[in-house]
Amino acid sequence: MTTEHSSQPTTAPGDVFATTHWTVVLAAGGHRSPQADRALEELCRAYWFPLYAYIRRRGHTKEDAEDLTQAFFTKLLAKNFLAGLESEKGKFRAFLLASLKHFLANEWDKSQRQKRGGGETPLSLDWQTADTQFQVAATNAPGPDQAFDREWAVTLLAKVIGRLQKECEAEGKAKLFEQLKIFLTAGKGELSHAEAAHQLGMDETAVRVAVHRLRKRYRILLRAEIAQTLADPAMVDEEMRALFGAFS
């Protein structure tokens, strides 16, 4: 997976993320450019699993879902899929799902399917864990569209947690992060500040300060990550509400 590119916004408090991965893709329109190709590929690498989950929810087998997901990305990364999807261009999430539905309905001819393992594979995806992840998510099975949104939100949060973990590790705070990350995702009462302080050998006040800073950085990174998938960064709050509504 590629590293951050020049289209990645800074994440200092108060920044307006005027340039995002998705705006780079949209700015290129139907024209191929290295920067737009990289931006689109990075978005696809980050958010491929919700597509796989959607296809599985539509009743396809594990093997067919793998083939369909990979075939979809082959077409998406090779041609201009922006045409005809005007209303979906504002959000990469909506664009990707609309494109997939179009692909499944009109552009997949099973008779043309290549043997598994052959043909072009534009993205190297972790199929080994995809089925396990899908089976876990399927225990409370919503419809395909709801599953897509929920898996998108889960993928987004995992990506943000991963970025925050790397930042903490770079600052020599790996142990602190591992102990306090529960405060980012768990409900109240899962772990008290006093318990965390005891386990870390820290003063409780210092732990509370550390948790506050961690949560603040988490919110900044979360908004930045969401902004990467939007044409207008002002839509971050709206997209956040939609994504977390998928858990209700």
Side-chain angles (χ1 to χ4, degrees):
M1 184 171 177
T2 52
T3 55
E4 303 293 342
H5 300 296
S6 58
S7 57
Q8 177 73 26
T10 57
T11 52
D15 275 354
V16 176
F17 308 126
T19 302
T20 71
H21 288 327
W22 188 226
T23 56
V24 169
V25 176
L26 292 178
H31 304 286
R32 302 295 298 272
S33 74
Q35 187 181 27
D37 287 349
R38 286 195 303 269
L40 181 58
E41 182 175 333
E42 184 163 336
L43 285 168
C44 289
R45 284 185 184 278
Y47 295 105
W48 67 270
F49 180 78
L51 296 177
Y52 171 83
Y54 176 85
I55 296 171
R56 291 292 301 273
R57 296 286 189 193
R58 290 282 296 266
H60 292 279
T61 66
K62 170 182 179 294
E63 290 75 17
D64 282 353
E66 291 175 10
D67 285 341
L68 286 164
T69 303
Q70 195 62 266
F72 170 70
F73 281 125
T74 297
K75 287 186 174 293
L76 181 71
L77 297 173
K79 63 184 291 187
N80 176 27
F81 257 60
L82 296 176
L85 293 170
E86 293 296 333
S87 63
E88 289 84 6
K89 288 183 182 179
K91 300 178 180 181
F92 179 65
R93 175 173 60 90
F95 161 81
L96 206 58
L97 183 57
S99 296
L100 178 66
K101 288 180 177 179
H102 177 74
F103 169 78
L104 293 175
N106 303 307
E107 298 193 22
W108 179 251
D109 183 349
K110 290 186 178 180
S111 67
Q112 299 298 315
R113 183 180 303 172
Q114 298 174 334
K115 291 182 180 180
R116 292 180 58 76
E120 184 180 359
T121 54
L123 296 178
S124 177
L125 305 177
D126 186 5
W127 300 120
Q128 187 172 359
T129 60
D131 184 59
T132 300
Q133 187 176 344
F134 174 77
Q135 296 298 338
V136 171
T139 56
N140 183 21
D145 287 67
Q146 291 82 1
F148 176 82
D149 286 344
R150 188 176 68 179
E151 294 305 330
W152 188 283
V154 170
T155 300
L156 172 76
L157 294 177
K159 197 166 187 292
V160 173
I161 290 290
R163 282 191 63 186
L164 185 56
Q165 180 177 6
K166 288 181 179 180
E167 286 188 359
C168 290
E169 289 173 350
E171 296 172 359
K173 299 177 180 178
K175 181 180 178 181
L176 183 69
F177 175 82
E178 282 300 315
Q179 192 64 47
L180 299 185
K181 67 180 180 180
I182 190 172
F183 289 97
L184 301 176
T185 57
K188 292 183 178 179
E190 291 290 331
L191 180 71
S192 70
H193 291 89
E195 290 171 328
H198 176 73
Q199 293 171 8
L200 287 165
M202 294 174 59
D203 179 76
E204 183 177 342
T205 300
V207 166
R208 289 182 179 275
V209 171
V211 169
H212 173 75
R213 290 174 177 171
L214 204 62
R215 284 174 171 165
K216 182 178 180 180
R217 184 60 182 163
Y218 176 74
R219 288 193 295 269
I220 290 171
L221 292 177
L222 176 61
R223 295 181 66 83
E225 185 60 37
I226 292 175
Q228 286 294 332
T229 69
L230 302 174
D232 180 2
M235 298 167 62
V236 167
D237 289 330
E238 174 189 334
E239 180 72 346
M240 192 178 296
R241 285 191 297 270
L243 287 174
F244 291 111
F247 292 106
S248 60

